[in-house]
Amino acid sequence: MTANHKPNNPQYTDQNPSVELSVTVKDTLDDKSVLDTSVLAIPPIGRVQTLDAFDWKRTINDTYFDLDVSFRQPNKFSGFLQHSKLLDIGVSRYYANTVHYDRGVQSSDYTDDSILITFPITGDVHFAQKGRQLTSKPGQFFIELSNLPYEFYHLHEASLYVIKVPLALLTAQIRTIERQFARSLSIDEGAGRLLVFQMRQILEFMQSHQLDDLEIKILEQQLLNLIVLTLSAPKEVMMSNTSSIQSVHLKRIEHYVYLNLENPALTPKKVAAACHISVRYLHKLFADLPYSFSEWVKELRLKQANHILKSKSYVTIEEVAHKVGYGDQSYFSRIYKQYFGYTPRDTSKL
């Protein structure tokens, strides 16, 4: 779905019905200011449709996912949302005055497991999820998890770029995402600035051209590559020595657990001792993550079992269960089905 809304700005009046939006790659390389985050304001669109508060609620829910949308002054609300869907990734250009969003608890059958990566271009955005709170400013970005409740609002006019990405496309970045969600990260250098620029170009290009499937696939792969680069080493705006130390400890824990998944006794006490930290500190490290240490180990075991089963490099289901630390095959099969929705035996048939 594509929707356009018009902000209250003179450059959006009908006296300016046609605005040239195209910027060539050569122009970009020659003009370094294009990649300056201070000038990455959302460009004007000639004639755009303004939606009221009622239509905005419907558009937001259709574009992203179910959100409770409220307004300080519904009768004075205005904004626009331009959205382009590639194959699996969605890119949006957003403007709105004061608005508030609530994401509630998701039902057990919720299947849209994705993230939103939000880049404020003008105005400050406030966000809270799982005990973390932030105010994200232009030049920063943050990650929203779709499967956890959150609050998102801005008290004044704000313009944003937003990417919606299925988590299935970012399996190698899951640990980074889980550590960095709901934190203010910087795009002041490297892939982040290029990602914002490419979002802008994709929206403008898809607005002006009818693309075939191959062109869309190429665009999405280029965009995904930049997303991965941006998430691989995000620069925290307020990175402290403590958070750096915590990150090192988490990586050490992750490495140790991966190497010892066959051990059914991966208790907090054993892992803490192997990583030279206290059990109390181990639990503290996981306090900011969306799961406990035990839940995380269970998920790692099941995902590794899924990988083994799909590779068909095993003889029996019991063998796979033992490889990931489960001595009881029936228990393993039961929790495996609860997690994936199908049995271990059915996995190789998928």
Side-chain angles (χ1 to χ4, degrees):
M1 175 177 179
T2 301
N4 294 317
H5 310 250
K6 178 167 60 177
N8 299 322
N9 187 308
Q11 65 184 355
Y12 285 82
T13 63
D14 288 342
Q15 279 130 16
N16 186 19
S18 175
V19 181
E20 179 60 50
L21 295 176
S22 61
V23 180
T24 67
V25 174
K26 183 178 185 303
D27 291 336
T28 303
L29 296 175
D30 290 343
D31 183 2
K32 302 301 183 183
S33 68
V34 174
L35 295 182
D36 183 349
T37 56
S38 66
V39 296
L40 279 175
I42 289 180
I45 301 172
R47 294 184 182 274
V48 294
Q49 178 188 4
T50 301
L51 296 189
D52 59 18
F54 175 80
D55 287 331
W56 186 256
K57 289 184 180 183
R58 174 178 51 79
T59 301
I60 287 292
N61 282 272
D62 287 348
T63 303
Y64 304 119
F65 32 65
D66 290 344
L67 292 163
D68 181 14
V69 187
S70 57
F71 310 89
R72 178 179 292 177
Q73 295 179 300
N75 59 326
K76 294 185 178 180
F77 175 81
S78 66
F80 71 80
L81 183 75
Q82 181 192 10
H83 179 70
S84 290
K85 179 75 180 291
L86 298 170
L87 296 178
D88 297 301
I89 299 175
V91 183
S92 305
R93 179 163 56 191
Y94 165 118
Y95 165 89
N97 50 26
T98 306
V99 64
H100 185 282
Y101 306 97
D102 267 316
R103 176 75 165 156
V105 177
Q106 302 310 300
S107 63
S108 58
D109 59 353
Y110 176 74
T111 59
D112 185 5
D113 204 4
S114 58
I115 63 170
L116 297 183
I117 311 175
T118 299
F119 300 79
I121 305 302
T122 61
D124 296 349
V125 174
H126 305 276
F127 183 76
Q129 187 167 46
K130 204 176 187 298
R132 299 181 185 176
Q133 298 185 21
L134 64 89
T135 298
S136 191
K137 300 176 178 293
Q140 301 174 3
F141 73 96
F142 61 95
I143 302 167
E144 311 166 38
L145 301 178
S146 69
N147 61 342
L148 293 177
Y150 68 71
E151 180 184 28
F152 179 121
Y153 65 95
H154 46 89
L155 300 174
H156 306 285
E157 295 179 357
S159 54
L160 322 165
Y161 283 112
V162 183
I163 310 176
K164 183 180 179 183
V165 191
L167 274 176
L169 298 181
L170 297 169
T171 53
Q173 287 72 44
I174 292 297
R175 299 301 163 213
T176 297
I177 290 168
E178 289 168 342
R179 286 193 290 267
Q180 302 290 2
F181 80 93
R183 298 190 187 280
S184 286
L185 306 169
S186 175
I187 60 168
D188 62 0
E189 58 186 20
R193 287 194 297 172
L194 293 174
L195 177 57
V196 174
F197 174 73
Q198 183 158 3
M199 282 188 288
R200 174 173 172 171
Q201 291 295 89
I202 285 174
L203 284 164
E204 294 169 1
F205 194 65
M206 293 189 73
Q207 183 184 34
S208 306
H209 299 81
Q210 185 69 37
L211 306 183
D212 61 32
D213 291 344
L214 178 59
E215 290 172 321
I216 292 175
K217 183 176 181 180
I218 292 170
L219 270 182
E220 178 165 283
Q221 187 57 58
Q222 291 175 337
L223 183 64
L224 183 61
N225 289 343
L226 276 176
I227 292 170
V228 169
L229 285 172
T230 301
L231 295 180
S232 294
K235 181 180 177 182
E236 291 196 49
V237 175
M238 297 300 290
M239 175 68 83
S240 67
N241 291 332
T242 301
S243 61
S244 298
I245 292 171
Q246 288 173 342
S247 179
V248 170
H249 283 306
L250 283 168
K251 287 182 180 297
R252 184 182 300 161
I253 291 167
E254 186 175 30
H255 180 68
Y256 176 81
V257 171
Y258 266 121
L259 292 179
N260 293 275
L261 280 179
E262 286 190 54
N263 186 349
L266 282 175
T267 62
K269 182 177 180 180
K270 182 175 184 62
V271 174
C275 297
H276 308 291
I277 58 175
S278 69
V279 174
R280 181 180 177 183
Y281 185 66
L282 182 145
H283 288 305
K284 182 180 178 181
L285 290 171
F286 280 80
D288 286 338
L289 300 179
Y291 40 65
S292 67
F293 170 79
S294 297
E295 291 169 339
W296 173 68
V297 172
K298 177 182 175 181
E299 182 178 304
L300 287 185
R301 293 189 194 277
L302 293 175
K303 287 184 175 180
Q304 180 63 15
N306 182 260
H307 174 73
I308 295 170
L309 289 163
K310 285 183 174 179
S311 69
K312 301 180 182 179
S313 57
Y314 67 96
V315 177
T316 65
I317 301 299
E318 184 179 18
E319 176 191 344
V320 176
H322 281 288
K323 280 184 176 293
V324 295
Y326 291 107
D328 186 335
Q329 180 188 331
S330 61
Y331 173 72
F332 163 72
S333 296
R334 185 168 68 253
I335 63 171
Y336 184 97
K337 184 176 181 180
Q338 288 174 350
Y339 186 85
F340 290 104
Y342 47 83
T343 66
R345 200 169 301 282
D346 289 335
T347 303
S348 60
K349 303 174 186 177
L350 299 175

